[in-house]
Amino acid sequence: MRYKNEILNFMTSEEIKALQEEKLLRQLTYCYNNSDYYRKRFNSCGALPADIKTLEDFRKLPIMMTKQDERASQTESLERYGHPFGMHLCARLEELELTSTTSGTSGTPTFTYTFSRREINGPVADLWAFLFRNSGIMPGDRVLFAYALGIYATSMLLWGIRRMGALPIDVDVRAGADSILQYAQLTRPVTFATTPSLAEHMILRAPKSIGKEVGELGFRSLLLCGEPGPGIPEVKQRLEKAYGARVFDYWSPGGLVFGLACDSDEYHGLHCFAPDYNLAQDDLIDPISREPIESTHGAVGELVHTSLDRDACPVIRYAYGDIVEVLTEPCPNCGFTGKRLKIVGRSDDMLIVKGVNFYPAAMREIISEFAPLVTGSIKIILEVPPPRIIPPLKIKVEYGEGVDSNQLPDLEKKIKEACHRKLNINPQISWVPPYTFERMLRKTSMFEKAYE
Ligand SMILES: [Zn+2]
């Protein structure tokens, strides 16, 4: 894989940084001139955009936005101007072409994914088109697109599918698994773009629903997003085997940082192919102390987003809550020289057991290694509101199909040992039959909130 912006492929990392700095100054000046929100933030820290000469200067600025700030900004603009896009909206209302939100699983949805006509038809469509082209799709292909549509953020992908000359078969996930399978059969798409858990659910559902295995549907690739699944080797292998297709995962939190896995049996993280569009891969903080962390090989921290080419709702030092591990060495598979990210979890998913911090995704990854003796689906029982867990940490684990109950004590012992060795946590496991947990059509939560 290469950078999307062709010129970056011929630049040194210093030259890329200089380009980022040039675009940053332009974006900061634009935000300062066009929004009360950012003007106030700059004024309160005694800086002007023109003072920011380097990324090092920039990283001395405080965090300028969090999810709560974004919500408060939306509430204020609704009260003052009668629109929900926030006081940080920098474009005129008549310039907007798309607004979409996250699924709003926690609190009021935010309209982070709001785009002007120029951006959604320009850089955003081009970035998505690049991402699709690098995941095995050709012009003239059909893409089965099964997400929540309309107001939800994934709608923006449709601009990219159309831009690259492919045809979206956009079936809203709320139509249900049977309907999606029926359209797969009717339209013969080459790619299935959906969430990892729905892709897994389809493996079981297809024989009952359409009398065929998913492997007979003719998919060349699966393009997955929304959950950590493809980063777990067992999940990736299971999906690739069942579908007879390559699994790619991709990411674009806030419609900002773009990442795509490369075409490989092994998983090498999300390749940040557009460092001239967002600074996040170069701006990390410690999720607890909020102090800067250098974005070097192996560093783990929370991404801080700053857009470099946005009109409608640009973000400046937005701590969005995504915890990642950064890889800076060239990709062993494709040789990509830019940064790569592995998603570790969400800062608001972080749990603390006896002073040990961990992310549920890490627990799931350890348990998934025992597949096919387990399905890989787990629930962490929260007896009090997170992040604190009163020990022992209780988890429910689905055993695999065909597993006999007398195999479970030994399996339990091995899982506990692995959790202790890798996370320094001793969970209390209760077993549940395979496919007890509902495979959600949208993001599946790993928590069972017993306190609610
Ligand atoms: Zn690669």
Side-chain angles (χ1 to χ4, degrees):
M1 199 182 304
R2 290 157 70 84
Y3 289 119
K4 192 266 161 197
N5 183 352
E6 197 52 39
I7 195 168
L8 301 190
N9 294 305
F10 302 97
M11 286 182 167
T12 62
S13 53
E14 288 74 28
E15 288 167 333
I16 291 175
K17 181 167 175 271
L19 177 68
Q20 288 175 315
E21 287 167 345
E22 185 192 317
K23 291 186 81 169
L24 175 66
L25 178 60
R26 216 179 306 151
Q27 181 82 89
L28 298 181
T29 308
Y30 170 82
C31 292
Y32 188 89
N33 291 340
N34 290 287
S35 98
D36 288 349
Y37 181 90
Y38 288 121
R39 204 158 36 244
K40 271 189 199 151
R41 293 283 152 145
F42 270 102
N43 292 344
S44 73
C45 62
L48 285 171
D51 297 330
I52 313 298
K53 308 280 187 230
T54 63
L55 292 187
E56 291 74 23
D57 293 342
F58 178 66
R59 294 190 67 204
K60 289 179 193 149
L61 293 177
I63 295 298
M64 291 206 178
M65 194 185 273
T66 62
K67 201 85 172 165
Q68 288 88 325
D69 296 333
E70 193 182 14
R71 283 202 184 101
S73 176
Q74 288 182 182
T75 305
E76 192 182 340
S77 74
L78 202 53
E79 281 165 8
R80 284 177 60 178
Y81 302 124
H83 73 70
F85 308 111
M87 298 300 291
H88 54 285
L89 178 71
C90 293
R92 288 175 295 127
L93 289 172
E94 56 270 34
E95 289 175 76
L96 304 183
E97 176 157 324
L98 171 69
T99 189
S100 50
T101 70
T102 49
S103 46
T105 44
S106 48
T108 314
T110 52
F111 294 89
T112 324
Y113 303 82
T114 296
F115 300 98
S116 74
R117 205 157 285 119
R118 179 200 75 90
E119 49 189 348
I120 190 71
N121 291 294
V124 177
D126 288 341
L127 284 159
W128 283 116
F130 178 88
L131 187 144
F132 285 110
R133 267 200 309 278
N134 279 278
S135 49
I137 305 170
M138 306 282 284
D141 283 343
R142 290 178 292 283
V143 178
L144 181 64
F145 187 84
Y147 289 104
L149 294 173
I151 194 67
Y152 298 112
T154 32
S155 297
M156 66 185 168
L157 276 68
L158 295 172
W159 271 256
I161 298 176
R162 294 185 173 120
R163 168 62 53 89
M164 66 147 298
L167 178 68
I169 308 294
D170 42 332
V171 188
D172 195 305
V173 285
R174 288 162 290 190
D178 293 339
S179 186
I180 296 165
L181 284 162
Q182 198 188 1
Y183 278 107
Q185 202 167 225
L186 266 176
T187 61
R188 299 194 186 168
V190 299
T191 292
F192 185 18
T194 190
T195 58
S197 51
L198 185 58
E200 286 198 62
H201 174 63
M202 291 299 192
I203 299 172
L204 281 181
R205 191 69 217 158
K208 296 174 197 146
S209 174
I210 53 170
K212 270 184 188 169
E213 301 291 335
V214 287
E216 294 173 71
L217 288 168
F219 288 117
R220 276 203 307 259
S221 60
L222 301 184
L223 197 51
L224 306 178
C225 181
E227 295 153 352
I232 303 171
E234 289 69 23
V235 174
K236 180 170 152 73
Q237 279 161 21
R238 187 162 64 237
L239 287 167
E240 290 189 339
K241 195 166 160 234
Y243 282 85
R246 174 62 84 207
V247 164
F248 293 90
D249 80 330
Y250 70 95
W251 205 37
S252 183
L256 288 161
V257 64
F258 278 83
L260 175 68
C262 61
D263 186 346
S264 172
D265 288 339
E266 223 182 295
Y267 182 74
H268 297 290
L270 296 151
H271 299 42
C272 298
F273 60 80
D276 54 341
Y277 192 68
N278 185 302
L279 285 182
Q281 66 285 331
D282 303 301
D283 193 359
L284 298 184
I285 55 169
D286 182 300
I288 298 165
S289 72
R290 319 302 276 168
E291 291 297 319
I293 292 177
E294 280 312 307
S295 173
T296 48
H297 193 77
V300 174
E302 180 175 345
L303 287 175
V304 181
H305 295 275
T306 300
S307 51
L308 297 174
D309 189 10
R310 288 288 291 268
D311 307 334
C313 290
V315 296
I316 300 177
R317 299 220 79 214
Y318 186 176
Y320 204 65
D322 293 307
I323 313 289
V324 297
E325 179 184 354
V326 179
L327 305 171
T328 61
E329 287 172 359
C331 174
N333 174 57
C334 70
F336 180 73
T337 53
K339 288 185 179 171
R340 291 172 289 127
L341 304 176
K342 286 190 174 173
I343 302 174
V344 173
R346 293 269 318 158
S347 60
D348 40 16
D349 280 351
M350 191 186 73
L351 299 173
I352 305 173
V353 189
K354 285 192 201 165
V356 177
N357 304 334
F358 82 103
Y359 294 94
M363 179 73 72
R364 186 183 165 187
E365 189 168 342
I366 290 169
I367 293 173
S368 293
E369 283 170 18
F370 293 88
L373 296 172
V374 298
T375 67
S377 274
I378 65 166
K379 290 274 181 200
I380 293 175
I381 316 297
L382 302 179
E383 288 172 328
V384 293
R388 218 166 59 81
I389 294 276
I390 299 166
L393 171 76
K394 295 186 181 121
I395 51 175
K396 289 184 181 172
V397 181
E398 286 181 354
Y399 53 82
E401 275 183 293
V403 172
D404 195 273
S405 61
N406 60 27
Q407 289 174 271
L408 296 178
D410 182 50
L411 183 58
E412 184 170 328
K413 193 165 156 255
K414 285 182 180 148
I415 291 177
K416 281 181 159 182
E417 276 167 12
C419 290
H420 183 68
R421 194 171 62 247
K422 293 180 181 168
L423 296 175
N424 201 17
I425 286 170
N426 293 306
Q428 184 180 310
I429 294 171
S430 48
W431 291 104
V432 296
Y435 306 101
T436 300
F437 306 132
E438 195 187 351
R439 265 54 174 177
M440 298 287 284
L441 298 178
R442 302 223 305 261
K443 290 183 187 183
T444 307
S445 170
M446 256 186 278
F447 295 138
E448 196 174 295
K449 294 176 181 168
Y451 62 87
E452 275 185 353

